[in-house]
Amino acid sequence: MLLALAGLKGGTGRTTLAVALAAEARARGRRTLLVDLDPRGDAHAWSLSANSQAPTTLRLPGASPGQAERIRGLAFGHDLTVIDTPSDPEVLAVVAEIAELTLVPCRPSPMDAWAAVDTVETCLRGRGALNFRMQVAVVPNAVELRSTIGAALPNDLRALGLPVLECAVARRVAHQEAMAHGSTASLDAPASAAARDINELLDAIEALQARYGDMRHLHH
Ligand SMILES: Nc1ncnc2c1ncn2[C@@H]1O[C@H](COP(=O)(O)OP(=O)(O)O)[C@@H](O)[C@H]1O
Ligand SMILES: [Mg+2]
C-alpha cells in the first residue's frame, strides 16, 4: 500500500507520524519503505540516526519529472510504502496521482482545520483517473486529551465536511524524545500510551487496506 502523510500547512505532524508508522509496520514484519519527498529531509535525517530497526528510508526531494512513476516502482515488493511530504502543492499533486491512502494530520487549531479542508479538496480534485479509489482522511494529531478543543476536534472536523479517522494521536513528549535519538515511541516503549496511539492508527490503516484491496493489483 502507498500511504502518504500530507498537508498544505507545516507542523501538523506529517513527519512524526510517517516515521512512527513506518517503524511500527516494520516491527510488525511488514516489508516497509519510507520515502522522504520533503527537501528539508527530516525523515531521512531521522533514519540516518536510527538503529537497525529503522525502515529503509529514501530521499527523493520535491516533485521532479517522473516522480510518481519512480515512487510506484520503488513501492513494488513492499507491503507498505510511507511517503512523507512537504507543504508543497506540486508534491501534493504527485501524491494525489499515486497514493492509495492520504492521511492529513490536523492539530486542534482553526488554522490547521482550514488547511486540512484545502488539502483534502486539492487531493480529491487532483486524484488521477487511475487513482479514483484513493482514500483521504484527516487524523487528529497532537491532541491535548484534557482540553475542550482537543475533545471536540473530531466532531469539529466532521462538521467541516471532512472525512476523519476514528483514532486520534495524543500530544505526548515520547514522540519528540524518541525522534531525538533515532527511535520512535513504539520501539522505545511498546506498552506506552504513545505507542498505543500509533498501533491503533496502523490498525485502522491496515483495516482500510484490507477493505479496499491493493491498488497495484487492480492496475496491472
Ligand atoms: N503527537 C505529537 N505529540 C507531541 N509532539 C508532536 C506530535 N506530533 C508532532 N509533534 C511535534 O510537532 C512538531 C511538528 O511535527 P512534524 O512531524 O515535524 O510536522 P510536519 O512534518 O507536518 O511539519 C515537531 O516538533 C514534533 O515533534
Ligand atoms: Mg515534516
Side-chain angles (χ1 to χ4, degrees), residues 14-15 38 42 84-85:
R14 292 162 302 190
T15 302
D38 189 344
D42 292 334
D84 186 25
T85 65

Side-chain angles (χ1 to χ4, degrees), residues 6-199:
L8 291 169
K9 178 180 181 301
T12 57
R14 292 162 302 190
T15 302
T16 302
L17 297 183
V19 161
L21 288 167
E24 182 54 34
R26 184 178 185 279
R28 289 186 184 186
R30 315 286 186 254
R31 291 167 300 176
T32 308
L33 179 67
L34 179 56
V35 178
D36 188 354
L37 299 188
D38 189 344
R40 288 198 51 81
D42 292 334
H44 184 249
W46 167 83
S47 77
L48 294 180
S49 68
N51 63 22
S52 56
Q53 289 178 306
T56 305
T57 306
L58 300 177
R59 189 158 189 220
L60 298 174
S64 52
Q67 191 73 302
E69 279 317 310
R70 199 171 300 122
I71 297 166
R72 237 202 279 268
L74 289 166
F76 192 78
H78 291 92
D79 301 311
L80 181 68
T81 299
V82 180
I83 308 171
D84 186 25
T85 65
S87 319
D88 173 349
E90 288 184 24
V91 174
L92 189 60
V94 172
V95 161
E97 221 177 298
I98 56 169
E100 292 156 67
L101 173 63
T102 297
L103 292 182
V104 182
C106 184
R107 286 170 175 266
S109 96
M111 290 77 88
D112 273 44
W114 299 329
V117 170
D118 265 1
T119 304
V120 169
E121 282 175 358
T122 305
C123 221
L124 291 174
R125 243 195 340 262
R127 238 175 351 182
L130 285 179
N131 203 21
F132 65 97
R133 281 162 60 105
M134 179 185 60
Q135 303 292 302
V136 185
V138 176
V139 189
N141 181 40
V143 175
E144 191 61 70
L145 293 175
R146 282 176 299 276
S147 71
T148 309
I149 194 168
L153 182 62
N155 279 337
D156 288 350
L157 293 171
R158 285 192 187 97
L160 290 170
L162 291 167
V164 183
L165 279 194
E166 288 299 330
C167 43
V169 178
R171 182 160 77 82
R172 296 193 189 274
V173 288
H175 294 296
Q176 292 155 305
E177 285 168 351
M179 183 82 76
H181 60 261
S183 186
T184 67
S186 65
L187 294 179
D188 277 354
S192 65
R196 190 191 54 218
D197 283 355
I198 297 303
N199 271 290

